Amino acid sequence: MSAVLAIAVDAPLRRLFDYRPPLHTDPATLQPGVRLWVPFGRRRVVGVLAALRAESELPESRLKPAHAVIDATPVLDPALLDLLLWSADYYRHPPGEVIAAALPAALRSGAAANATTERWTLTAAARTGTLPPLSSRATRLNELVDFLRERDAADEAELLARSPRWRDPMRELEKRGWATRLRAETARTPAFDRDARIGPRPDPTPDQERAIAAIAAASGRHASFLLHGVTGSGKTEVYLRAIEDVVRRGEQALVLVPEISLTPQLVARFEARFDAPLAVMHSSLPDTERLQAWRSARDGTAPVVIGTRSAVFAPLARAGLIVVDEEHDASYKQQEGFRYSARDLALARAQRLGIPVVLGSATPSLESLERVGSGRSTRLGLPVRAAGARPPTLRLVDLRRHAGTHGIATPVVLAIGRHLEQGGQVLLYLNRRGYAPSLFCPSCGWVAPCPRCDARLTVHQREHRLHCHHCGTEQRVPETCPDCGQPAKPVGQGTERIEETLAQLFPGVPLARIDRDAVRRRGALESALDRVTRGEVRLLVGTQMLTKGHHFPDVTLVVVLNADQGLFGTDFRASERLAQTIVQVAGRAGRAERPGEVLIQTEYPEHPLLAQLVEGGYDAYAEAALAERRQAEWPPFARIAVLRAEAARREPPMAFLDRARELAAAQAGGEVELLGPAAAPMERRAGHYRAQLLLHARSHGPLQRLLSRWLPEVEAMPEARRVRWSIDVDPLELF
Ligand code: ADP
Ligand code: ZN
Ligand code: ZN
């Protein structure tokens, strides 16, 4: 009986590829999840066996045999492989690319999955030329010698990558004294000690106690929790306790965090608590370290695996718990290529594994709140701050009524002075880096445009350059207006200008700016945060970076310089993001005994969103926002997907989307609504015109059924070849 191997190959095609087993390989010995070398076009690539099938849709004669099997045991266990194939289906993304996202680069190019491997090397005699030469006709032996001569040693994976038939010639070389084996020199890290010392920790508060007990009671079965507590309420402490339990049972915990480089303090806390190797996984790790972390997660030597988005695919020998910290954070959604949500996949994975999952946030996403509302998740509340600090008070400052200095209203200037005098630290938040958001000519009205985007260039004063924050274009700042020759001037505020203004208003007060420009150098962020923590810095100005993970215990005043950017956004999630940001920044204040004060500058103090936030906090906002979404039938009360297209000219994306819409309309029935196509609000970006078609349905089923029938047709459309297009299921942003 013949068997067909359905293999996932890292290629942009929404299907698996059929192969025959390698010659002399019994297909019964092959388990799904092993890697193989396969011929693909004119290349040889690493593929992953997704399934064994009895037959192919292609005639047997057209199937090529795979070259060689790489792994004795699967690199992806059945549950993980199943999750990946399901994700590929759910997000309508090529399965080979989905599986590639789950493997470290080294494994994608054929490196050994296990740390313990034999290696082969040329003998000293062979290297010094003291052996009788090999016959020049022994081509395979000579080639192998050349290959080994170029490196210290080669392992099985490397030899296999060179040629699937390497064992016979190698045996021959060993017999003749040319080659020799090195025993595995990479020592296995010992399995962690379950009774490992647990670092010092505070006694849980009664609220923490309840949360810890609820999570512990769910061990060994699936349950989903939303740990909802204000910043500083002790959520991390709850994770740590819950994980202690997991570790004592000899199981592993997977902890997802938004951005490792922004949360060194969090990783340090885990390290201080567990006297065991942590596997830390994030995108800026060098390949070898990433492979090492992947291995220690897979063989179970790391009891805690902590990582960013793609760590949701970390292999786990004995999974016991999944934690998603700051679950509302947008970075859990990959915005290009394989557009998945790591938070949603964490839920799916925990369900498949039959283990509990804890999503934590001070500002839960409306999706997670809806899951609680519909009974699919249990809310664990931490209503007060752990260390007893009082919550900050929020106040709005009406920008229309108060004069100001370069974007800082007079009452705010006075408040800053007061807090500084009383020995407090002050944090100012503005989500705009650079000096000013545009360069303007007062004589003729010219505004410096980006040549490649429908956007303005941002002035960066210190570098004396103009930057486009959408495409990266850079220019010199022109001396005069190119249209009329009069002087042009920066208008509006960015963090760089706020820094300058503060230095003028409060001369001599030590100041730090934290944004992408200021902390570009490696280690710059850590050192700036250190100076803040040590109290050397009294004034702190920064962007979104400040809202994530950091604890600033001595900050007594937080200023949100401009709340208005999110009030009238075109995206239905704009207000949710604004509310989260304000509450997150506000949460940085008044950690210790001193109560914090939060001032929010706005031109729309009567806006209902701001009023709700100030009076009822995030909960009041969220309740109102959920009611609005339910009424308007938007997520989480509906499901959407977006077909996006872009091209260097304006017409092809529209033509593509118009045609795609016709095809969808023929299938949609009454269940899926089609909206658009419409051009993006900023239509041209980096020289490309962008447009999209939105698909909207009450529930996921009809949407998924339509996508599965429709996308193959879209792929085959001639118009598809003239654009770059993508599908985004459960998009976070509409453009
Ligand atoms: P969150 O993750 O919600 O921001 P953390 O767990 O970081 O909160 O706790 C905030 C601060 O309170 C930390 O300094 C932490 O050490 C401290 N803390 C947490 N739980 C307790 C507790 N039960 N008793 C005393 N201090 C605590
Ligand atoms: Zn001009
Ligand atoms: Zn641009």
Side-chain angles (χ1 to χ4, degrees):
M1 203 213 68
S2 68
V4 174
L5 313 184
I7 291 185
V9 173
D10 187 358
L13 294 162
R14 285 178 179 75
R15 59 189 189 85
L16 300 170
F17 297 87
D18 289 350
Y19 289 88
R20 276 186 278 136
L23 300 172
H24 317 299
T25 301
D26 176 3
T29 62
L30 294 177
Q31 291 165 270
V34 297
R35 292 170 301 158
L36 296 100
W37 282 106
V38 296
F40 193 72
R42 260 170 289 170
R43 293 179 301 144
R44 231 159 68 84
V45 301
V46 173
V48 172
L49 180 61
L52 280 155
R53 294 189 180 142
E55 53 194 40
S56 173
E57 286 169 11
L58 293 174
E60 168 110 27
S61 59
R62 288 194 45 203
L63 296 185
K64 291 184 193 153
H67 285 152
V69 182
I70 300 175
D71 305 299
T73 53
V75 286
L76 297 168
D77 62 66
L80 187 49
L81 179 62
D82 191 50
L83 176 77
L84 289 163
L85 293 172
W86 175 85
S87 309
D89 205 46
Y90 182 93
Y91 291 106
R92 298 282 142 196
H93 197 75
E97 291 188 358
V98 169
I99 285 177
L103 295 174
L107 294 182
R108 297 200 297 272
S109 46
N114 298 316
T116 49
T117 52
E118 273 182 323
R119 287 150 67 81
W120 282 262
T121 184
L122 287 186
T123 56
R127 285 195 195 269
T128 52
T130 50
L131 289 174
L134 297 167
S135 154
S136 60
R137 272 172 300 154
T139 329
R140 285 168 66 195
L141 298 189
N142 277 306
E143 281 172 2
L144 190 52
V145 167
D146 288 344
F147 179 77
L148 290 173
R149 209 186 287 284
E150 284 164 20
R151 58 208 78 217
D152 293 339
D155 65 16
E156 188 178 336
E158 290 169 278
L159 290 160
L160 196 57
R162 192 190 73 93
S163 158
R165 283 175 294 280
W166 62 276
R167 284 195 186 272
D168 289 343
M170 186 64 86
R171 218 167 281 136
E172 191 60 30
L173 288 180
E174 285 181 83
K175 219 159 64 191
R176 298 193 196 183
W178 279 77
T180 182
R181 271 173 224 223
L182 302 171
R183 292 291 159 195
E185 79 287 5
T186 25
R188 253 178 87 86
T189 26
F192 62 89
D193 178 3
R194 294 178 189 208
D195 305 315
R197 190 178 54 79
I198 301 284
R201 66 239 216 278
D203 290 328
T205 63
D207 289 323
Q208 285 174 324
E209 196 85 72
R210 264 192 295 280
I212 296 161
I215 299 165
S219 80
R221 66 183 169 84
H222 175 60
S224 151
F225 298 100
L226 174 63
L227 183 61
H228 182 184
V230 297
T231 318
S233 61
K235 295 184 295 296
T236 309
E237 193 51 45
V238 171
Y239 308 149
L240 287 163
R241 287 279 185 160
I243 292 169
E244 277 179 30
D245 260 9
V246 171
V247 172
R248 272 198 217 98
R249 288 197 304 272
E251 296 175 347
Q252 289 169 291
L254 171 63
V255 181
L256 299 182
V257 295
E259 175 65 81
I260 293 261
S261 70
L262 297 178
T263 49
Q265 290 166 328
L266 184 77
V267 175
R269 252 172 103 181
F270 274 79
E271 276 168 349
R273 186 65 59 90
F274 298 104
D275 186 20
L278 298 190
V280 179
M281 299 178 150
H282 58 93
S283 56
S284 50
L285 276 187
D287 278 357
T288 49
E289 281 174 41
R290 205 197 287 216
L291 180 58
Q292 216 164 31
W294 185 91
R295 283 171 174 159
S296 64
R298 178 171 179 253
D299 62 20
T301 49
V304 181
V305 179
I306 182 166
T308 46
R309 188 169 60 219
S310 67
V312 73
F313 303 120
L316 297 167
R318 297 175 300 274
L321 174 70
I322 302 180
V323 171
V324 184
D325 188 29
E326 307 288 359
E327 64 85 24
H328 64 280
D329 197 283
S331 75
Y332 285 123
K333 170 85 180 178
Q334 178 142 307
Q335 306 275 20
E336 56 192 22
F338 173 29
R339 294 168 169 79
Y340 65 97
S341 156
R343 176 198 60 211
D344 295 350
L345 288 183
L347 291 168
R349 190 169 183 192
Q351 193 168 21
R352 276 146 196 277
L353 289 170
I355 59 171
V357 55
V358 180
L359 309 186
S361 178
T363 52
S365 62
L366 296 185
E367 276 73 13
S368 295
L369 289 171
E370 191 277 329
R371 286 173 54 81
V372 171
S374 65
R376 287 174 295 154
S377 180
T378 305
R379 182 178 175 281
L380 305 170
L382 297 178
V384 293
R385 292 188 171 192
R390 273 178 285 155
T393 54
L394 270 63
R395 258 193 315 126
L396 299 177
V397 176
D398 189 346
L399 283 175
R400 294 166 309 185
R401 281 183 40 223
H402 299 285
T405 316
H406 289 309
I408 309 178
T410 308
V412 175
V413 174
L414 295 174
I416 296 174
R418 188 158 32 83
H419 280 263
L420 290 176
E421 232 160 70
Q422 292 164 359
Q425 276 178 331
V426 177
L427 184 161
L428 296 98
Y429 165 81
L430 179 63
N431 200 23
R432 219 183 240 156
R433 61 196 174 85
Y435 186 80
S438 46
L439 184 69
F440 172 73
C441 170
S443 313
C444 74
W446 172 84
V447 178
C450 174
R452 308 175 65 218
C453 304
D454 296 330
R456 296 166 170 191
L457 294 174
T458 300
V459 183
H460 286 246
Q461 191 88 322
R462 197 161 299 176
E463 295 181 275
H464 207 66
R465 293 183 80 77
L466 299 172
H467 287 233
C468 175
H469 288 182
H470 304 285
C471 72
T473 290
E474 271 189 48
Q475 296 177 358
R476 266 186 326 105
V477 178
E479 297 300 324
T480 54
C481 168
D483 281 2
C484 73
Q486 296 299 307
K489 60 173 205 180
V491 287
Q493 280 80 36
T495 45
E496 202 187 325
R497 188 174 224 173
I498 295 294
E499 183 185 21
E500 181 188 272
T501 305
L502 289 171
Q504 285 161 7
L505 290 170
F506 304 100
V509 177
L511 178 72
R513 173 160 61 93
I514 292 189
D515 59 31
R516 258 204 285 147
D517 304 315
V519 300
R520 196 149 283 169
R521 241 180 344 96
R522 212 187 152 92
L525 177 63
E526 284 78 1
S527 91
L529 291 175
D530 263 7
R531 283 194 300 135
V532 178
T533 313
R534 283 202 305 269
E536 286 168 29
V537 165
R538 308 283 308 288
L539 282 168
L540 182 60
V541 51
T543 55
Q544 205 77 24
M545 271 190 176
L546 287 178
T547 66
K548 310 214 172 169
H550 311 299
H551 296 191
F552 301 118
D554 295 324
V555 167
T556 54
L557 173 64
V558 169
V559 180
V560 176
L561 285 164
N562 185 348
D564 299 344
Q565 285 160 10
L567 287 179
F568 304 101
T570 46
D571 198 313
F572 72 97
R573 282 199 178 85
S575 80
E576 180 182 353
R577 272 194 294 268
L578 174 66
Q580 288 166 344
T581 303
I582 291 179
V583 174
Q584 291 284 344
V585 201
R588 310 295 128 186
R591 282 302 193 87
E593 294 63 40
R594 316 173 187 203
E597 189 179 351
V598 179
L599 299 175
I600 303 167
Q601 298 195 143
T602 175
E603 291 194 19
Y604 307 92
E606 68 292 336
H607 194 286
L609 163 61
L610 294 176
Q612 276 155 2
L613 267 183
V614 169
E615 275 154 36
Y618 187 76
D619 294 356
Y621 159 75
E623 197 180 317
L626 273 172
E628 210 177 282
R629 296 259 188 105
R630 183 193 293 276
Q631 214 256 324
E633 290 187 0
W634 276 102
F637 302 100
R639 305 307 283 264
I640 57 176
V642 167
L643 180 68
R644 297 193 184 92
E646 60 174 60
R649 288 182 308 116
R650 178 176 274 132
E651 298 75 30
M654 276 300 181
F656 166 80
L657 293 171
D658 278 334
R659 178 83 190 112
R661 187 192 158 114
E662 280 169 27
L663 292 174
Q667 307 224 9
E671 293 187 295
V672 179
E673 203 183 342
L674 305 169
L675 300 163
M682 186 179 92
E683 186 177 12
R684 202 167 53 106
R685 190 176 64 193
H688 283 83
Y689 292 87
R690 306 170 305 141
Q692 74 178 22
L693 175 67
L694 185 81
L695 288 77
H696 176 283
R698 291 272 179 79
S699 61
H700 193 65
L703 185 59
Q704 203 56 287
R705 278 194 295 280
L706 172 65
L707 291 174
S708 70
R709 290 190 309 248
W710 175 57
L711 283 178
E713 296 182 359
V714 170
E715 244 167 5
M717 277 166 29
E719 290 88 345
R721 265 172 266 133
R722 298 168 55 220
V723 298
R724 206 155 64 193
W725 66 272
S726 63
I727 187 80
D728 192 347
V729 178
D730 302 337
L732 205 56
E733 281 162 21
L734 284 190
F735 273 96

